[in-house]
DNA sequence: AGTTTAATTGAAATTTAATCTCAATTTCAA
DNA sequence: TTGAAATTGAGATTAAATTTCAATTAAACT
């Protein structure tokens, strides 16, 4: 169970697994996809559990540090996260017309990035590659 | 002159080329590299010109719309911009500790992206590739 | 050159995501 | 069960960016 990883991470730091942290964890892992902190907070609230915004934000940061959750991108409306446990990393193509998101993965691009990091004495931890343009359907209509 | 492009962009929209807009423009194009709105505001202030923060932010947005300036990344301390006129496209590595930005360009990665777009029947228009991690200096200190 | 009209400006207020404060509460190891 | 240390929540705070609106300014037109 993924929660065991979180529990270990916490105890390794002398931190405690509280009800609020469990609630945040469960809500994140019950869902598959991207989410924003505010929506997460509201979902937890709807589910009946009591967890303040402060706790949601604090737990989110812990989950990122533990590696179970990733900060995907920063938009003008705030950060976007997704849980990463058991999911292979991927990148996105976004259609500027219909907002369709196509996921893709390229081993070759990953390797080239590693190579570039090495060359620049940079330790890459994460990356975002987003290609914007027109999907097949929308491109045809122009 | 680049300012002519800006002037045309403005008049095409029924907007005016004011002293403040010229000041913002000049400060940005006098410099080569990345900048944050607040530092830009302070530099303009130091140069003796009078332009409020509001005007700096407003002009910055116009310059982005005109294509002369690009918003290259969002850090927790705010947005980072660079002027793009006459610069070849490149991507960025951002240090999560000190926010240092390293530019890089890879023909191979560009080509692989084109290939992936073709495979997915997607017409790519632009892309952002940002690698986040630790620069040489900050990586060593951990 | 002067007039007109709509755009622009600046100072301060506002917005919004995210963090911080601190007294009260909860966890968990002993 | 107890007690030290971590955690919580409500509200305050922070900081980047935007908005408001009365006063000012650019520039098109006489």
């Amino acid at each position: 169970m993924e929660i065991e990883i979180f529990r270990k991470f916490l105890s390794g730091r002398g931190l405690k697994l509280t009800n609020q942290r469990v609630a945040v964890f469960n809500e994140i892992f019950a869902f598959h996809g991207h989410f924003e902190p505010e929506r997460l907070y509201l979902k937890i609230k709807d589910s009946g559990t009591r967890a303040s915004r402060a706790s949601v934000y604090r737990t989110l940061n812990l989950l990122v540090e533990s590696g179970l959750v990733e900060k995907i991108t920063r938009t003008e409306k705030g950060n976007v996260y997704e849980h990463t446990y058991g999911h292979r990393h991927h990148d996105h193509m976004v259609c500027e017309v219909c907002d369709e998101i196509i996921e893709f993965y390229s081993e070759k691009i990953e390797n080239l990035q590693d190579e570039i990091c090495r060359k620049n004495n940079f330790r890459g931890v994460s990356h975002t590659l987003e290609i914007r343009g027109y999907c097949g359907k929308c491109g045809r209509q122009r």
Side-chain angles (χ1 to χ4, degrees), chain A:
Chain A
M1 285 296 284
E2 295 99 321
I3 192 115
E4 277 312 311
I5 299 173
F6 191 37
R7 186 197 298 279
K8 271 185 191 165
F9 168 81
L10 290 174
S11 75
R13 288 198 180 193
L15 304 179
K16 293 165 182 173
L17 186 63
T18 62
N19 292 334
Q20 289 86 343
R21 284 175 182 165
V22 171
V24 172
F25 181 93
N26 284 339
E27 205 59 59
I28 289 175
F29 279 84
F31 194 81
H32 190 69
H34 307 119
F35 63 89
E36 302 89 45
E38 180 66 15
R39 266 207 306 150
L40 178 62
Y41 165 71
L42 293 174
K43 276 171 72 177
I44 291 165
K45 205 176 185 180
D46 283 352
S47 82
T49 321
R50 225 172 37 110
S52 67
R53 257 188 202 85
S55 285
V56 171
Y57 275 102
R58 286 188 281 229
T59 304
L60 210 34
N61 286 335
L62 288 171
L63 284 164
V64 169
E65 288 179 58
S66 79
L68 287 163
V69 168
E70 231 174 66
K71 189 187 284 183
I72 294 301
T73 187
R74 296 169 213 264
T75 73
E76 38 249 88
K77 285 150 210 152
N79 297 331
V80 180
Y81 298 82
E82 81 182 356
H83 71 93
T84 49
Y85 189 76
H87 295 182
R88 190 163 80 156
H89 162 76
H90 56 260
D91 295 305
H92 298 108
M93 278 180 263
V94 183
C95 177
E96 303 216 307
V97 177
C98 70
D99 282 330
E100 194 200 344
I101 295 176
I102 301 168
E103 295 184 358
F104 69 90
Y105 177 78
S106 164
E107 192 72 43
K108 284 181 190 167
I109 289 181
E110 302 289 322
N111 291 339
L112 284 166
Q113 284 184 42
D114 291 345
E115 197 181 295
I116 288 161
C117 284
R118 248 177 280 124
K119 264 187 205 156
N120 286 275
N121 194 27
F122 190 89
R123 185 147 58 87
V125 168
S126 66
H127 74 259
T128 324
L129 169 53
E130 186 178 298
I131 305 178
R132 284 179 301 269
Y134 305 102
C135 73
K137 228 186 310 180
C138 297
R140 221 177 300 127
Q141 290 162 2
R142 328 194 100 228

